[in-house]
Amino acid sequence: MTPFFAACTPNSLPENGKTQHGYQLNVLTESMVVLETVNLPEWEAFRQEEAEDRLADIGYILSSPEWNPAGLGFMASVVRTDGL
């Protein structure tokens, strides 16, 4: 299976721990080409379980058990559920 990465980042700088413009969830290749994007305008903060649900909706699951902090957002290794 080809490894991919999911990056969930705020669309604006958080103030007091909350962002006013939501988050964006991207699935990327190893060379950082964006394959899929899910906009999450209602999010004020990162929601791990919901991010995993949104990934499943577009055909990906985490290949490692956790999300890792990355700058202002979070990243995780993912694989396609169809095995490509």
Side-chain angles (χ1 to χ4, degrees), residues 10-84:
N11 288 326
S12 62
L13 291 175
E15 292 183 27
N16 300 320
K18 295 181 180 181
T19 183
Q20 294 184 2
H21 301 286
Y23 275 69
Q24 185 170 345
L25 178 61
N26 291 302
V27 176
L28 308 115
T29 66
E30 288 183 275
S31 56
M32 298 300 167
V33 173
V34 176
L35 299 174
E36 306 272 355
T37 299
V38 177
N39 287 312
L40 306 161
E42 70 280 3
W43 286 19
E44 292 180 348
F46 177 66
R47 303 175 188 175
Q48 180 175 328
E49 288 180 19
E50 223 175 300
E52 292 171 23
D53 289 344
R54 297 293 181 104
L55 283 170
D57 290 345
I58 60 171
Y60 296 87
I61 58 171
L62 267 60
S63 61
S64 62
E66 61 188 57
W67 290 84
N68 297 302
L72 294 174
F74 296 84
M75 289 189 79
S77 295
V78 298
V79 294
R80 288 188 55 90
T81 54
D82 63 11
L84 297 178

